Amino acid sequence: MDVLQTPIEYLKGVGPNRANILKQELNLHTFQDLLHFFPYRYIDRSTFYNIIDLPKNSSEVQIKGKIIKTEVIQQKKGKRLVAQFSDGQIQMELVWFRGHQWIKESLKLNVEYVIFGRLNWYANRPSMPHPEMETVENFDKGFSRTLQALYPSTEKLLSRGISQRVIAKMMQELLQSNHSKFAESLPEDLRSKYKLISKSEAVKNIHFPKDQNTLTAAQNRLKFEELFFIQLQLLMKNLQRKQKIKGFVFEKVGNHFNTFFNTHLPFELTEAQKRVIKEIRKDTGNGQQMNRLLQGDVGSGKTIVALMVMLIAADNGFQSCLMAPTEILAKQHFQSLKTLMGSMDLSIALLTGSSKKAERKQLAEQLESGALDILVGTHAVIEDKVQFKNLGLAVVDEQHRFGVAQRAKLWRKNSIPPHVLVMTATPIPRTLAMSVYGDLDISVIDELPPGRKKIKTIHRYDSNRLQVFQFIAEEIQKGRQIYMVYPLIKESEKMDYKDLMDGYESISRAFPRPQFQISIVHGQMQAKDKDYEMDRFIKKQTQIMVATTVIEVGVNVPNASVMLIESAERFGLSQLHQLRGRVGRGNDQSYCILMSSHKLTTEAKTRLETMTATTDGFKIAEVDLKLRGPGDLMGTQQSGVLQLKIADIIKDNQWLKTARSDAQALLREDPHLEAQKNTPLRQTLAKMKAYQNIWNYIS
Ligand code: ADP
Ligand code: MG
């Protein structure tokens, strides 16, 4: 057995009790886990200060000296222990607010100590609360004389005596007793290409760096390794899928597509749309199953691309389906596809949760006989009951609302899986998409249809409300329609609902009937009532749509030109961006008004400033990523792939790209990792625990 798979309790100095805590608190089960439990920070323990030279701030410093005397001082709340500490020239105070009895007894007078901690300045005199300390004798014996690693810890670990020092001892034991057994995981040629140090050097230096240079070398090596293996696995999976999984061949572009293109297409396609259709065309024609992610900012025109691909499917005798995350959206897709197709000789139907039994039955027959060409709907489409004659293409809109499991379900519809096109407006930065969706091919519509006026975004405080309403009244007079959106956050649904209703009332007063008509849509309404209200808005019977974020995704009302967002500080960036994308779809100048109170956190301020500064979804996503970290980004929560141990998707972007291109090159040359030089890769992959996880995630 690989020694690194040894359970952690067998490490000298650990034992069953500590092992249990390590498992519970840090998820460390084996030697390997411990070895890859990386420090989050290092402190410099190579320099000593004289008290007289101490920096006049609260930095962490290390000083050598002796304790002259200690005393317990009574203060208003409790006591504190104060020790006079001298470096031989002057004195400063060390202070303890807790545990003084025990500490007082353990402190030895006139013995040389090394103390370490954060400085506190008061009336120009330094002190150090709760210093870490050890005798110079011990310090010189230990291994903390250079850069000292700090590991993530918890209250419980500390209370059970598993301190930084204990963790360091465990690491030392692990490294000393097993050092010769750490197998190299990267091939020689890759290592020399980037001058990467060996695995065993790297793990030693990440825990016990001699200096900054050895630390950097260790970090580089381990970051590259981490990113490289993720990319390697994703790419291998992709290759295997392409080799193994045969797909339907859409041989030709036929009548349906050509008729549509020549006589129904209401506008000129953008270059980006044309390019994406070509990419899809190539994918669906080569005998392999397509699994493609189509990214395009809100309003970039993904729907028409989906339709045109469905027409190609129909030209080749296949059925298609299009799935949307909500009923409103499904219905809207259905209607706009129908309108676009006009009198074309194709049948299309809608299936949602609220479809009637009789309707369903009829649909089922048409689907099974092949009489129906295109099915639009919600999750209802992938229920097991729904059987197609020959489903050749499945389009999934707004991917982040669709779980991985649902994607997998689609695959089981046929013996040969349909081509899958996943459309998302969540502008995942490319680098991130690469590592999360490395298994999907990616197409990007990076261009908006021409003639769109840039949406003007402004931030206003609640105190400006009168002016804002005045402006809205003027827009309505010009014939425009308005969205007013309220936040809806699960934990306080009741409060949000009240906010919404209060808001609705004051809006009704400010915009009285009959001159103004108002729709309202929120989560507690029945689907059919929502649809009814939405319909009235779409048909221009109402001018204002008051809503919670139900309308966030996909709704298309080109005549709506103002998006007003209440309590905008409570929305996340990607949500704000999605909401703003509801306007600016027609030819009129559109506006997004972000309302907030004056009380804003720094982060909220950054969000609002970002929104007013740019409409570029990818830029916004980058900021979002920086604010929240990748784990939180929509659609990536389940990925698991991003729980990186040492690399940072943003900061180590360059390494990520490098790792990906190297993994690609390597697989081109040696797709099954059979070459002698790639033995380390093969062996490491076989051992990797994460392996299984990633595979599960992907399909
Ligand atoms: P999204 O990518 O957000 O799903 P849609 O497909 O709903 O965007 O398209 C947004 C609007 O832009 C629709 O009204 C659509 O008809 C229109 N549109 C799409 N492509 C073009 C184009 N090439 N030229 C002009 N308008 C277009
Ligand atoms: Mg859309």
Side-chain angles (χ1 to χ4, degrees), residues 331-342:
K331 207 171 152 195
Q332 196 169 48
H333 271 315
F334 173 67
Q335 269 154 1
S336 54
L337 292 186
K338 242 175 102 160
T339 313
L340 282 167
M341 282 156 51

Side-chain angles (χ1 to χ4, degrees), residues 67-75 77-85 92-109 113 127-131 133:
I67 289 172
I68 311 295
K69 68 168 188 180
T70 59
E71 66 184 316
V72 174
I73 297 176
Q74 191 69 42
Q75 49 186 27
K77 280 188 224 150
K79 298 173 189 164
R80 73 194 144 110
L81 171 66
V82 176
Q84 294 301 328
F85 181 79
M92 67 183 281
E93 291 183 347
L94 312 181
V95 189
W96 290 266
F97 300 97
R98 295 179 306 269
H100 16 79
Q101 192 56 40
W102 177 76
I103 291 163
K104 188 173 179 337
E105 278 162 22
S106 62
L107 290 179
K108 298 184 197 97
L109 297 188
Y113 278 106
S127 67
M128 189 183 285
H130 291 258
M133 47 196 304

Side-chain angles (χ1 to χ4, degrees), residues 229-261:
F229 275 99
I230 290 173
Q231 291 305 322
L232 194 64
Q233 288 165 63
L234 289 167
L235 291 166
M236 282 177 82
K237 172 73 187 169
N238 205 359
L239 266 180
Q240 290 184 349
R241 198 192 71 226
K242 283 189 175 161
Q243 278 163 1
K244 274 209 206 108
I245 303 174
K246 291 272 165 284
F248 296 119
V249 182
F250 295 175
E251 267 168 7
K252 57 171 192 241
V253 165
N255 241 339
H256 296 303
F257 185 93
N258 289 327
T259 308
F260 181 80
F261 191 79

Side-chain angles (χ1 to χ4, degrees), residues 302-303 333 397-398 554:
K302 295 185 290 294
T303 316
H333 271 315
D397 196 13
E398 304 299 352

Side-chain angles (χ1 to χ4, degrees), residues 266-270 273 296-304 333 340 397-398 423 425 445 449-450 452 554 556 558 581-582 585:
F267 36 67
E268 179 82 24
L269 292 176
T270 62
Q273 286 170 319
D297 214 340
V298 275
S300 61
K302 295 185 290 294
T303 316
I304 198 98
H333 271 315
L340 282 167
D397 196 13
E398 304 299 352
M423 306 197 291
I445 305 187
R452 295 268 171 85
N556 188 25
R582 298 306 111 213
R585 300 182 152 233

Side-chain angles (χ1 to χ4, degrees), residues 50-53 85-92:
N50 293 319
I51 296 175
I52 196 151
D53 299 326
F85 181 79
S86 163
D87 65 357
Q89 291 171 309
I90 27 177
Q91 295 183 10
M92 67 183 281

Side-chain angles (χ1 to χ4, degrees), residues 34-39 42 149 151 171 175 179 182-186 191 195-211 213-226 646:
L34 183 63
L35 196 65
H36 287 170
F37 180 58
F38 296 131
Y42 298 84
Y151 296 91
M171 288 297 179
L175 286 163
H179 198 243
F182 300 147
E184 180 52 56
S185 56
L186 291 175
R191 274 181 51 203
K195 301 198 170 55
L196 299 173
I197 60 174
S198 71
K199 174 85 179 196
S200 57
E201 278 301 297
V203 286
K204 194 172 90 200
N205 286 320
I206 201 77
H207 295 296
F208 302 106
K210 280 197 234 11
D211 51 36
N213 286 343
T214 49
L215 175 60
T216 307
Q219 286 170 327
N220 282 341
R221 148 79 210 211
L222 293 168
K223 283 175 182 177
F224 180 83
E225 173 178 333
E226 179 168 48
I646 186 162

